[in-house]
Amino acid sequence: AQSVSQHNHHVILSEAASLELGCNYSYGGTVNLFWYVQYPGQHLQLLLKYFSGDPLVKGIKGFEAEFIKSKFSFNLRKPSVQWSDTAEYFCAVIRSGNTGKLIFGQGTTLQVKP
Amino acid sequence: GAVVSQHPSWVICKSGTSVKIECRSLDFQATTMFWYRQFPKQSLMLMATSNEGSKATYEQGVEKDKFLINHASLTLSTLTVTSAHPEDSSFYICSLTSGRGGNTQYFGPGTRLTVL
């Protein structure tokens, strides 16, 4: 079935460690890609997005993601995490022509230990 | 980004009753809003697309008579869970696209529904 897959369900890191969260999708054709973050008790916030152009996208709070079309991937990275990055991270995809129909991955819980 | 509010933030109701959840766009007019459902420790599932002035478009498997959506104005969409049952207990989240950001969606804070 066509889907969005996040490989890591729960990640635990120490502060200053590097982060990479995997995201793969199985749709062919053009897609718009997103990473959202949900801090404890808060609503979903957009971290970054890719529509076209440079496949390396920089977002807020030092996050970046790289779109690799041949691998159908859009992995999220941060060189050095902070305790405040503890949150739930969601990868999401909109297929071309399906305006607004966000398909979410399962989410990854990131726990950063101080 | 757009500012989206939801009311109420949480609600507890008895089985068989109906509950209305409001989603408001506070800083611009939204012709399209979306309703999602999130179960604990799970991802968001799109339930329906709410279109101002017309009928909502429901995703496969979502009962349109169970989850009534009304988008009567450009700043308000409502989701009514009719004859609620305990299995309807969930976190309901709305979102909208600003138009300025293309397909970027901005999310409300969500409504926690508990059906006893």
mmCIF file of all heavy atoms in Angstrom, chain B residues 73-102:
data_model
loop_
_atom_site.group_PDB
_atom_site.id
_atom_site.type_symbol
_atom_site.label_atom_id
_atom_site.label_comp_id
_atom_site.label_asym_id
_atom_site.label_seq_id
_atom_site.Cartn_x
_atom_site.Cartn_y
_atom_site.Cartn_z
ATOM 1 N N SER B 73 -18.654 29.579 7.017
ATOM 2 C CA SER B 73 -17.995 30.857 6.744
ATOM 3 C C SER B 73 -16.526 30.615 6.461
ATOM 4 O O SER B 73 -16.015 29.505 6.639
ATOM 5 C CB SER B 73 -18.144 31.808 7.937
ATOM 6 O OG SER B 73 -17.232 31.461 8.967
ATOM 7 N N LEU B 74 -15.859 31.661 6.029
ATOM 8 C CA LEU B 74 -14.449 31.518 5.657
ATOM 9 C C LEU B 74 -13.520 31.424 6.851
ATOM 10 O O LEU B 74 -12.317 31.220 6.685
ATOM 11 C CB LEU B 74 -14.033 32.699 4.775
ATOM 12 C CG LEU B 74 -14.637 32.694 3.362
ATOM 13 C CD1 LEU B 74 -14.350 33.998 2.658
ATOM 14 C CD2 LEU B 74 -14.112 31.515 2.554
ATOM 15 N N THR B 75 -14.075 31.575 8.039
ATOM 16 C CA THR B 75 -13.211 31.500 9.226
ATOM 17 C C THR B 75 -13.653 30.432 10.215
ATOM 18 O O THR B 75 -13.046 30.280 11.268
ATOM 19 C CB THR B 75 -13.179 32.856 9.959
ATOM 20 O OG1 THR B 75 -14.513 33.202 10.334
ATOM 21 C CG2 THR B 75 -12.576 33.943 9.078
ATOM 22 N N LEU B 76 -14.693 29.680 9.890
ATOM 23 C CA LEU B 76 -15.207 28.709 10.846
ATOM 24 C C LEU B 76 -15.632 27.414 10.163
ATOM 25 O O LEU B 76 -16.394 27.414 9.203
ATOM 26 C CB LEU B 76 -16.398 29.294 11.605
ATOM 27 C CG LEU B 76 -17.146 28.338 12.552
ATOM 28 C CD1 LEU B 76 -16.231 27.906 13.700
ATOM 29 C CD2 LEU B 76 -18.414 28.989 13.087
ATOM 30 N N SER B 77 -15.112 26.306 10.698
ATOM 31 C CA SER B 77 -15.589 24.992 10.314
ATOM 32 C C SER B 77 -15.939 24.247 11.589
ATOM 33 O O SER B 77 -15.243 24.380 12.603
ATOM 34 C CB SER B 77 -14.517 24.220 9.538
ATOM 35 O OG SER B 77 -14.950 22.901 9.258
ATOM 36 N N THR B 78 -17.016 23.483 11.560
ATOM 37 C CA THR B 78 -17.394 22.716 12.745
ATOM 38 C C THR B 78 -17.480 21.238 12.414
ATOM 39 O O THR B 78 -17.868 20.847 11.305
ATOM 40 C CB THR B 78 -18.747 23.174 13.313
ATOM 41 O OG1 THR B 78 -19.757 22.989 12.322
ATOM 42 C CG2 THR B 78 -18.699 24.634 13.737
ATOM 43 N N LEU B 79 -17.084 20.442 13.395
ATOM 44 C CA LEU B 79 -17.194 18.982 13.309
ATOM 45 C C LEU B 79 -18.121 18.539 14.429
ATOM 46 O O LEU B 79 -17.848 18.828 15.598
ATOM 47 C CB LEU B 79 -15.819 18.341 13.467
ATOM 48 C CG LEU B 79 -15.784 16.817 13.679
ATOM 49 C CD1 LEU B 79 -16.246 16.083 12.430
ATOM 50 C CD2 LEU B 79 -14.384 16.354 14.080
ATOM 51 N N THR B 80 -19.204 17.885 14.081
ATOM 52 C CA THR B 80 -20.131 17.364 15.081
ATOM 53 C C THR B 80 -20.057 15.847 15.086
ATOM 54 O O THR B 80 -20.312 15.216 14.053
ATOM 55 C CB THR B 80 -21.566 17.821 14.801
ATOM 56 O OG1 THR B 80 -21.619 19.246 14.793
ATOM 57 C CG2 THR B 80 -22.516 17.294 15.870
ATOM 58 N N VAL B 81 -19.689 15.310 16.227
ATOM 59 C CA VAL B 81 -19.678 13.860 16.409
ATOM 60 C C VAL B 81 -21.056 13.488 16.924
ATOM 61 O O VAL B 81 -21.426 13.842 18.053
ATOM 62 C CB VAL B 81 -18.587 13.428 17.398
ATOM 63 C CG1 VAL B 81 -18.544 11.905 17.513
ATOM 64 C CG2 VAL B 81 -17.230 13.971 16.976
ATOM 65 N N THR B 82 -21.824 12.803 16.107
ATOM 66 C CA THR B 82 -23.206 12.492 16.474
ATOM 67 C C THR B 82 -23.293 11.135 17.159
ATOM 68 O O THR B 82 -22.524 10.214 16.834
ATOM 69 C CB THR B 82 -24.112 12.491 15.242
ATOM 70 O OG1 THR B 82 -23.658 11.456 14.350
ATOM 71 C CG2 THR B 82 -24.069 13.828 14.515
ATOM 72 N N SER B 83 -24.192 11.037 18.117
ATOM 73 C CA SER B 83 -24.399 9.793 18.853
ATOM 74 C C SER B 83 -23.045 9.164 19.214
ATOM 75 O O SER B 83 -22.733 8.040 18.791
ATOM 76 C CB SER B 83 -25.247 8.823 18.015
ATOM 77 O OG SER B 83 -25.582 7.689 18.775
ATOM 78 N N ALA B 84 -22.297 9.906 19.970
ATOM 79 C CA ALA B 84 -20.927 9.485 20.275
ATOM 80 C C ALA B 84 -20.898 8.190 21.090
ATOM 81 O O ALA B 84 -21.765 7.938 21.931
ATOM 82 C CB ALA B 84 -20.205 10.596 21.034
ATOM 83 N N HIS B 85 -19.892 7.392 20.817
ATOM 84 C CA HIS B 85 -19.635 6.164 21.548
ATOM 85 C C HIS B 85 -18.199 6.167 22.056
ATOM 86 O O HIS B 85 -17.370 6.937 21.549
ATOM 87 C CB HIS B 85 -19.890 4.950 20.647
ATOM 88 C CG HIS B 85 -21.337 4.711 20.364
ATOM 89 N ND1 HIS B 85 -21.952 5.175 19.220
ATOM 90 C CD2 HIS B 85 -22.299 4.091 21.082
ATOM 91 C CE1 HIS B 85 -23.220 4.847 19.236
ATOM 92 N NE2 HIS B 85 -23.468 4.191 20.354
ATOM 93 N N PRO B 86 -17.910 5.328 23.027
ATOM 94 C CA PRO B 86 -16.548 5.320 23.579
ATOM 95 C C PRO B 86 -15.450 5.164 22.519
ATOM 96 O O PRO B 86 -14.375 5.742 22.672
ATOM 97 C CB PRO B 86 -16.578 4.132 24.542
ATOM 98 C CG PRO B 86 -17.995 4.088 25.015
ATOM 99 C CD PRO B 86 -18.818 4.470 23.809
ATOM 100 N N GLU B 87 -15.723 4.437 21.466
ATOM 101 C CA GLU B 87 -14.692 4.269 20.429
ATOM 102 C C GLU B 87 -14.427 5.542 19.636
ATOM 103 O O GLU B 87 -13.462 5.611 18.860
ATOM 104 C CB GLU B 87 -15.063 3.119 19.472
ATOM 105 C CG GLU B 87 -16.384 3.277 18.766
ATOM 106 C CD GLU B 87 -17.523 2.566 19.492
ATOM 107 O OE1 GLU B 87 -17.459 2.436 20.745
ATOM 108 O OE2 GLU B 87 -18.467 2.144 18.811
ATOM 109 N N ASP B 88 -15.289 6.546 19.810
ATOM 110 C CA ASP B 88 -15.050 7.845 19.169
ATOM 111 C C ASP B 88 -14.094 8.714 19.979
ATOM 112 O O ASP B 88 -13.683 9.782 19.516
ATOM 113 C CB ASP B 88 -16.370 8.599 18.969
ATOM 114 C CG ASP B 88 -17.341 7.860 18.072
ATOM 115 O OD1 ASP B 88 -16.870 7.207 17.112
ATOM 116 O OD2 ASP B 88 -18.564 7.909 18.333
ATOM 117 N N SER B 89 -13.760 8.252 21.169
ATOM 118 C CA SER B 89 -12.816 9.004 22.000
ATOM 119 C C SER B 89 -11.487 9.119 21.271
ATOM 120 O O SER B 89 -10.914 8.128 20.830
ATOM 121 C CB SER B 89 -12.612 8.295 23.341
ATOM 122 O OG SER B 89 -13.827 8.221 24.055
ATOM 123 N N SER B 90 -11.024 10.338 21.140
ATOM 124 C CA SER B 90 -9.816 10.565 20.349
ATOM 125 C C SER B 90 -9.429 12.029 20.451
ATOM 126 O O SER B 90 -10.088 12.820 21.137
ATOM 127 C CB SER B 90 -10.080 10.197 18.884
ATOM 128 O OG SER B 90 -8.873 10.210 18.128
ATOM 129 N N PHE B 91 -8.370 12.371 19.775
ATOM 130 C CA PHE B 91 -7.912 13.755 19.664
ATOM 131 C C PHE B 91 -8.261 14.220 18.252
ATOM 132 O O PHE B 91 -7.825 13.601 17.274
ATOM 133 C CB PHE B 91 -6.399 13.790 19.919
ATOM 134 C CG PHE B 91 -5.852 15.143 20.260
ATOM 135 C CD1 PHE B 91 -6.404 15.895 21.285
ATOM 136 C CD2 PHE B 91 -4.762 15.654 19.577
ATOM 137 C CE1 PHE B 91 -5.891 17.129 21.621
ATOM 138 C CE2 PHE B 91 -4.236 16.889 19.910
ATOM 139 C CZ PHE B 91 -4.796 17.635 20.933
ATOM 140 N N TYR B 92 -9.073 15.258 18.153
ATOM 141 C CA TYR B 92 -9.499 15.763 16.853
ATOM 142 C C TYR B 92 -8.788 17.085 16.567
ATOM 143 O O TYR B 92 -8.806 18.011 17.387
ATOM 144 C CB TYR B 92 -11.016 15.946 16.820
ATOM 145 C CG TYR B 92 -11.756 14.637 16.902
ATOM 146 C CD1 TYR B 92 -12.090 14.082 18.146
ATOM 147 C CD2 TYR B 92 -12.092 13.919 15.755
ATOM 148 C CE1 TYR B 92 -12.744 12.865 18.222
ATOM 149 C CE2 TYR B 92 -12.757 12.707 15.832
ATOM 150 C CZ TYR B 92 -13.075 12.185 17.061
ATOM 151 O OH TYR B 92 -13.716 10.968 17.142
ATOM 152 N N ILE B 93 -8.172 17.147 15.407
ATOM 153 C CA ILE B 93 -7.351 18.303 15.056
ATOM 154 C C ILE B 93 -7.794 18.861 13.714
ATOM 155 O O ILE B 93 -8.027 18.093 12.773
ATOM 156 C CB ILE B 93 -5.857 17.916 14.965
ATOM 157 C CG1 ILE B 93 -5.397 17.229 16.254
ATOM 158 C CG2 ILE B 93 -4.996 19.138 14.683
ATOM 159 C CD1 ILE B 93 -4.001 16.638 16.152
ATOM 160 N N CYS B 94 -7.892 20.164 13.632
ATOM 161 C CA CYS B 94 -8.203 20.775 12.345
ATOM 162 C C CYS B 94 -6.975 21.505 11.810
ATOM 163 O O CYS B 94 -6.039 21.811 12.567
ATOM 164 C CB CYS B 94 -9.374 21.745 12.452
ATOM 165 S SG CYS B 94 -9.003 23.273 13.330
ATOM 166 N N SER B 95 -6.974 21.734 10.537
ATOM 167 C CA SER B 95 -5.879 22.488 9.928
ATOM 168 C C SER B 95 -6.416 23.262 8.732
ATOM 169 O O SER B 95 -7.536 23.030 8.277
ATOM 170 C CB SER B 95 -4.748 21.555 9.479
ATOM 171 O OG SER B 95 -5.138 20.846 8.317
ATOM 172 N N LEU B 96 -5.604 24.160 8.245
ATOM 173 C CA LEU B 96 -5.987 24.898 7.053
ATOM 174 C C LEU B 96 -4.733 25.285 6.288
ATOM 175 O O LEU B 96 -3.624 25.243 6.826
ATOM 176 C CB LEU B 96 -6.804 26.139 7.412
ATOM 177 C CG LEU B 96 -6.232 27.062 8.495
ATOM 178 C CD1 LEU B 96 -5.225 28.031 7.935
ATOM 179 C CD2 LEU B 96 -7.364 27.820 9.169
ATOM 180 N N THR B 97 -4.920 25.593 5.040
ATOM 181 C CA THR B 97 -3.821 26.109 4.231
ATOM 182 C C THR B 97 -4.006 27.606 4.098
ATOM 183 O O THR B 97 -5.121 28.099 3.920
ATOM 184 C CB THR B 97 -3.788 25.467 2.838
ATOM 185 O OG1 THR B 97 -5.060 25.619 2.227
ATOM 186 C CG2 THR B 97 -3.461 23.999 2.938
ATOM 187 N N SER B 98 -2.886 28.296 4.174
ATOM 188 C CA SER B 98 -2.968 29.749 4.138
ATOM 189 C C SER B 98 -3.088 30.288 2.735
ATOM 190 O O SER B 98 -3.455 31.433 2.538
ATOM 191 C CB SER B 98 -1.736 30.359 4.806
ATOM 192 O OG SER B 98 -0.601 30.147 3.987
ATOM 193 N N GLY B 99 -2.738 29.469 1.767
ATOM 194 C CA GLY B 99 -2.754 29.970 0.402
ATOM 195 C C GLY B 99 -1.443 30.627 0.043
ATOM 196 O O GLY B 99 -0.915 30.451 -1.035
ATOM 197 N N ARG B 100 -0.883 31.332 1.013
ATOM 198 C CA ARG B 100 0.394 32.008 0.747
ATOM 199 C C ARG B 100 1.536 31.001 0.736
ATOM 200 O O ARG B 100 2.543 31.195 0.100
ATOM 201 C CB ARG B 100 0.656 33.072 1.816
ATOM 202 C CG ARG B 100 -0.335 34.208 1.797
ATOM 203 C CD ARG B 100 0.098 35.286 2.804
ATOM 204 N NE ARG B 100 -0.010 34.832 4.169
ATOM 205 C CZ ARG B 100 -1.095 34.954 4.921
ATOM 206 N NH1 ARG B 100 -2.178 35.495 4.412
ATOM 207 N NH2 ARG B 100 -1.115 34.535 6.177
ATOM 208 N N GLY B 101 1.340 29.907 1.455
ATOM 209 C CA GLY B 101 2.405 28.907 1.557
ATOM 210 C C GLY B 101 2.144 27.678 0.728
ATOM 211 O O GLY B 101 2.668 26.612 1.032
ATOM 212 N N GLY B 102 1.304 27.799 -0.302
ATOM 213 C CA GLY B 102 1.042 26.638 -1.133
ATOM 214 C C GLY B 102 0.310 25.578 -0.360
ATOM 215 O O GLY B 102 -0.762 25.796 0.186
#
